Structure formats: structure tokens, C-alpha cells
Amino acid sequence: MSNAPAIALLGLAPVIAPNIRILILGSFPGAASLAAQQYYAHPRNQLWPLLSALTGADLAGWPYAERLPRLLAHDIGLWDVLGACERNGSLDTNIRKAEANDFGLLRQRCPALRRVAFNGKKSGSFAAQFAAAGFETLVLPSSSPAHATLSFEQKLAAWRKLVEPAGPAWEAGR
């Protein structure tokens, strides 16, 4: 473990639109994502292949700038629970002085939002807060390459719940 001081970092802007019905929240972008200014930029992160399989659109095959509008067209947005923190490296366990994003405007900016999914346990620690605000919540296995205990197929099976309809409130948002 390094004794180097943690680096102060700012997260990425949300990828949201009024039409999104699903919001995927990670914890905080990894070093590769921050360097590229792109969500899930690490080449071994499985988010884009998972979303490709779930939507039937080859999101992973498109350049990043084209992925985002295509993702939004599937009513799915991206953001992180943390907007700033101090951290060395990319591991969630190294996060210090975490500052949560301001989620107060989600209802106003995303009136169709019904389901908030958390990409891993760290972000999933915010699930109760979103459930209390009336959102359906779902904590999913992390798409991170650091979470290698599950195969892609096992993760995909769990992630399929992300796009399953869920009752009258879900259908009303269509």
C-alpha cells in the first residue's frame, strides 16, 4: 500500500434525459474512465457488453460519442452515486472524503424514471435512499474487472432484471 496522498477527483456529468426509465449508478469512475472522460472506459469493464446484450444494440461496438444517444434511446441513463472524492488508483476501497451527487433534481429532469440500478455493492449502499424516494431499486453485480468472481454469463443473468417490466407504475411510464 502506497503512502502517497490521495488525489482529489471530480466525477463525470450524468448521461440523462427526460425519457429515461432506468438509471444505472456506479460508485465513482475508475482511473481509465476519468482519463478518457468516458463512463466505463476500462477495456475489461463489462458494462457496455452487458448493455449490448440487454438492448440488442451493439453499444460496445460504437464509438463512445455514439453510444450515449443510443443508450438514451433505450430509456437508460448513467451516472455515479459520488460526484467527488479522494482516491489513489481505481478501487472503491481506496475512496476517501466521498461527496454524493445531488440527486434532488432527478424527478424534475427525468420524469419517466422508475428504476434505479446500482452497479455493484458500493453504489448499492445508496439503494435505500432511492427506494425511500419512491424508485424501484436493484443492486446488480459489478461490471468491473476487479469483480471477477462471476462469469459474464452469470452477470448477464442478474443484469436481465434491469430491463424486465415491473408492474403498473412501470407500464404507466411507457
Side-chain angles (χ1 to χ4, degrees), residues 3 13 20 43 51 56 62 83 98 103 105 113 122 131 139 144 168-169:
N3 289 332
I20 67 166
L51 290 177
W62 288 95
F103 299 108
L105 293 177
L113 183 61
K122 177 75 171 183
V139 179
S144 168

Side-chain angles (χ1 to χ4, degrees), residues 47-72:
L47 180 94
W48 295 111
L50 286 166
L51 290 177
S52 293
L54 294 175
T55 63
D58 185 16
L59 297 169
W62 288 95
Y64 185 76
E66 294 179 41
R67 285 179 191 171
L68 301 182
R70 291 171 190 276
L71 182 65
L72 291 172

Side-chain angles (χ1 to χ4, degrees), residues 7-139:
I7 299 167
L9 303 167
L10 290 176
L12 303 174
V15 177
I16 58 175
N19 65 292
I20 67 166
R21 294 169 26 130
I22 299 168
L23 178 63
I24 299 169
L25 293 173
S27 54
F28 191 79
S33 293
L34 289 173
Q37 288 294 287
Q38 299 178 2
Y39 280 99
Y40 303 96
H42 192 287
R44 289 194 332 256
N45 191 293
Q46 296 177 324
L47 180 94
W48 295 111
L50 286 166
L51 290 177
S52 293
L54 294 175
T55 63
D58 185 16
L59 297 169
W62 288 95
Y64 185 76
E66 294 179 41
R67 285 179 191 171
L68 301 182
R70 291 171 190 276
L71 182 65
L72 291 172
H74 286 278
D75 301 335
I76 301 172
L78 292 174
W79 204 8
D80 289 304
V81 294
L82 302 179
C85 69
E86 291 184 0
R87 183 185 65 204
N88 283 327
S90 293
L91 296 177
D92 285 349
T93 54
N94 293 338
I95 291 175
R96 304 288 181 261
K97 298 184 182 177
E99 297 176 25
N101 270 315
D102 180 4
F103 299 108
L105 293 177
L106 276 179
R107 287 252 187 243
Q108 182 180 13
R109 293 177 68 192
C110 307
L113 183 61
R114 300 286 180 269
R115 181 175 292 160
V116 179
F118 301 89
N119 187 355
K121 289 180 184 175
K122 177 75 171 183
S123 63
S125 68
F126 283 73
Q129 172 185 334
F130 283 86
F135 294 104
E136 177 189 343
T137 60
L138 183 61
V139 179

